[in-house]
Amino acid sequence: MTGAGAPAASRALRSQGRRTVRRLLEAGVEVLAAKGYHAARVDDVVRAASTSHGTFYRYFANKDDLFRALLVEVGEAMGEHAESLGPLTADDAGREELRRWLVGFARLYDRFAPVVRAWVEAEMDTDQFGRVGADVLAGFAGILTERIEAADGPVDDPASAAIVVVAMIERANYYAAVGHLAIDPEPLADSLAAAVHAALFGISTPRVSH
Amino acid sequence: MTGAGAPAASRALRSQGRRTVRRLLEAGVEVLAAKGYHAARVDDVVRAASTSHGTFYRYFANKDDLFRALLVEVGEAMGEHAESLGPLTADDAGREELRRWLVGFARLYDRFAPVVRAWVEAEMDTDQFGRVGADVLAGFAGILTERIEAADGPVDDPASAAIVVVAMIERANYYAAVGHLAIDPEPLADSLAAAVHAALFGISTPRVSH
Amino acid sequence: MTGAGAPAASRALRSQGRRTVRRLLEAGVEVLAAKGYHAARVDDVVRAASTSHGTFYRYFANKDDLFRALLVEVGEAMGEHAESLGPLTADDAGREELRRWLVGFARLYDRFAPVVRAWVEAEMDTDQFGRVGADVLAGFAGILTERIEAADGPVDDPASAAIVVVAMIERANYYAAVGHLAIDPEPLADSLAAAVHAALFGISTPRVSH
Amino acid sequence: MTGAGAPAASRALRSQGRRTVRRLLEAGVEVLAAKGYHAARVDDVVRAASTSHGTFYRYFANKDDLFRALLVEVGEAMGEHAESLGPLTADDAGREELRRWLVGFARLYDRFAPVVRAWVEAEMDTDQFGRVGADVLAGFAGILTERIEAADGPVDDPASAAIVVVAMIERANYYAAVGHLAIDPEPLADSLAAAVHAALFGISTPRVSH
DNA sequence: TATGAATGAGCCTTCATTCAT
DNA sequence: AATGAATGAAGGCTCATTCAT
């Protein structure tokens, strides 16, 4: 798994080739961060990777192919993290687990923010591109649904609750990463954990002691 | 307030001109719905409005000018609705008020979905365009913050709680409108109201019957 | 029938537009003559037509669309001429008719040589382009077949005889037009008429009197 | 004579080198057959020859160098065959000789069809490439002219008659090989022999039985 | 000697915007 | 006021050829 796109799928890359692919992928993230998906130019990417157009198309079928490859990487990292969510319980341990998991998610999100933003930007366009992103989301929601069912809390409809939770987590992190609204990361993580736990078990925070 | 863009600002439009502007705005929504922001072409808009390029530029400075005008309309409607949120209370009346408000929001969202999607798509691009959208969000979050503070619930940080709530509401409706994930509108509204109320007052649902 | 390509098919062209189309078609012939089909650049055409790339694509879907339009024009002219062939008879009148017809053909061929050469060059490429050309040839061969059958001469298989004759006429004119081989037009026309008549009626030339 | 191009001219090739050259030439024919001259890519050739770009340019100066080498091979074979045409006489023996010769030509043409098609396609492009082909044709026409003169038939202008005959033979075979028009090979050979003999001696076919 | 990685000029096409009628 | 013709900068992609290993 080199991370390369379609044109390189049939060939076995040598070490030089693999290095170039890596450089292009990293350049892709850079450009996505700087200009976003639609404004990203192949020229920007090859310049950032210090290579040529010809080389780009040796490893990726086109612009989308590169970004799809990036999204797949992100999807894999996110999927792995999603699996790491332990059982959800109504007690403090459960809330703590949730918090731990959300912090990990925030870290991932922050790291991959440019790619996720690109996905959001591109959602409408390419079926393929949108598909990869939707799969990530669906996988996420699926795992949450399982945990919620297993938690046996007061939730009526685990599937739609999971979606609400995913939506909340994703967007809140998105706002934080994009900086669209001014939020501090720490209180946000707390608020999120509280909100999610409350949504699942009905108790907002342990310090409700008045 | 005719809804026209910059070039028409200095002129007083006659009724024919106003009709043309109206046609262009509606065509803009149509095109946004059909193709999204980045794939929308001026040519698509003028064809949908049965008019010409020359005419388009008589009323709007450029493509973005049209979409900004649309977004302003949406922002105004959303802002008005935001203001209509009554006091939030921990009891059933508070939950009911919340539910009413969320249903209204879902209706608005549904009606303006193409424009909102366009905004999401365009977020990175134009400072101006993104700004209008961010203002809408910020206005929203501000009003919620006020209400949460006034509610005097167990919430620690009203501002970031408001953002979590906005994120949850916005995204959940977005998913529903775009159809990215399969959600039924009714249980979604219920789940949302329950989740928001729980996040604010710590009681998830009245029917916790274990 | 303006001769324009696909993009102009749905619009009604005004006189300015029709003039532009005409200029582009003529420029196409020029460029074809100077550089041939494969070396022809859209840029060459628009420069020869003193217009812009944008304008080119307003009237033709792409390079091929322009050349197809030209080929259709040629095909129509050739088809009309083909129809003008009178009955073939074994006597001098028949030979004279044949000669007249061949001379007319040579004139047409000369006039449209660049386009025909382009067709020959492109034969393999586009199905569409090749199809138009093949249709012209087939139409030609069909008419000849009819005439040969009507002539009731000693020919065994009118269809393949017609093809031989078409091949002979086409190529001989081609060589003459392209200048690949040094041929004078007049004796060529004579030789062709003699050969064709001989092929159809078995008498090569009237002056075989030894 | 290894058939290699310019870069190999100065070196003496070992047996491995000769094998590589052979593979490249055969790959060239394959690719020409499959995609034609203009669509042929160096990459296609090296892939078909199971070798690399670097190797290709060790033996051929460039793409055209390979195809020129192929055309030279064809030209030699054709030239040899042309020489094999015996004296043309007005009697049945002459007609039979002509038929034999034409059948041999058809076989050659069929075998080399891809290369000949490539030549036709490329006629305009490279002076060099076109020249080789024109030389083949001219050699052909020259030999025919000689034979026609020696035959002392009723032909007025042997040179242009030869060209008409060459045109007829070449194109008819071309159509047959390319499949542009539906022709059966056998009646075509007969028709051709009959037509050529008639053009030269004035008697179309022996079986004129009216 | 062979391989495959890299190059970059070149070409087609799009589309927001301006202009002439 | 409206129309549609014209513009041209910009960007994606190809592929013959050269280079480094």
Side-chain angles (χ1 to χ4, degrees), chain C residues 38 123 160 171 174 191 202 207, chain D residues 38 123 156 160 171 174 202:
Chain C
H38 279 100
E123 246 168 350
S160 77
R171 256 307 93 159
Y174 180 78
S191 295
R207 352 183 181 49
Chain D
H38 279 102
E123 250 168 348
D156 275 343
S160 75
R171 251 316 85 156
Y174 180 80

Side-chain angles (χ1 to χ4, degrees), chain D residues 25-177:
Chain D
L25 289 168
E26 274 159 19
V29 176
E30 260 178 62
V31 173
L32 244 25
K35 323 186 60 165
Y37 177 74
H38 279 102
R41 304 284 162 245
V42 171
D43 193 69
D44 299 326
V45 174
V46 300
R47 219 171 19 224
S50 309
T51 182
S52 67
H53 282 207
T55 299
F56 179 95
Y57 284 92
R58 251 189 99 65
Y59 296 108
F60 296 96
N62 49 42
K63 206 172 60 147
D64 275 15
D65 197 26
L66 171 73
F67 294 131
R68 184 165 48 246
L70 287 175
L71 197 48
V72 167
E73 284 196 333
V74 174
E76 280 166 1
M78 294 264 180
E80 261 172 52
H81 181 68
E83 295 281 4
S84 83
L85 174 60
L88 295 176
T89 57
D91 58 10
D92 280 9
R95 186 182 301 108
E96 197 38 50
E97 168 63 9
L98 200 52
R99 201 182 181 286
R100 181 200 65 76
W101 188 72
L102 285 169
V103 166
F105 181 80
R107 282 210 193 97
L108 274 180
Y109 202 107
D110 193 58
R111 187 166 137 217
F112 292 126
V115 180
V116 177
R117 275 194 347 230
W119 166 53
V120 171
E121 235 193 291
E123 250 168 348
M124 308 230 43
D125 279 9
T126 332
D127 280 8
Q128 328 162 22
F129 202 70
R131 265 310 115 199
V132 178
D135 288 352
V136 173
L137 269 189
F140 232 80
I143 287 168
L144 254 178
T145 306
E146 279 173 31
R147 298 294 192 278
I148 294 173
E149 276 165 353
D152 194 33
V155 168
D156 275 343
D157 178 352
S160 75
I163 279 165
V164 168
V165 169
V166 167
M168 170 164 46
I169 296 172
E170 193 269 315
R171 251 316 85 156
N173 277 285
Y174 180 80
Y175 290 153

Side-chain angles (χ1 to χ4, degrees), chain B residues 22 26 45 47 50 56 59 65 69 88 115 157 162 188 199:
Chain B
R22 186 43 42 200
E26 274 159 20
V45 174
R47 221 174 16 228
S50 310
F56 179 95
Y59 295 107
D65 197 27
L88 295 176
V115 179
D157 178 354
L188 177 69

Side-chain angles (χ1 to χ4, degrees), chain C residues 140-174:
Chain C
F140 232 81
I143 287 167
L144 255 177
T145 304
E146 279 174 30
R147 299 295 192 277
I148 294 173
E149 276 165 351
D152 196 33
V155 168
D156 275 346
D157 179 354
S160 77
I163 279 163
V164 169
V165 169
V166 167
M168 168 165 47
I169 296 172
E170 193 269 315
R171 256 307 93 159
N173 277 287
Y174 180 78

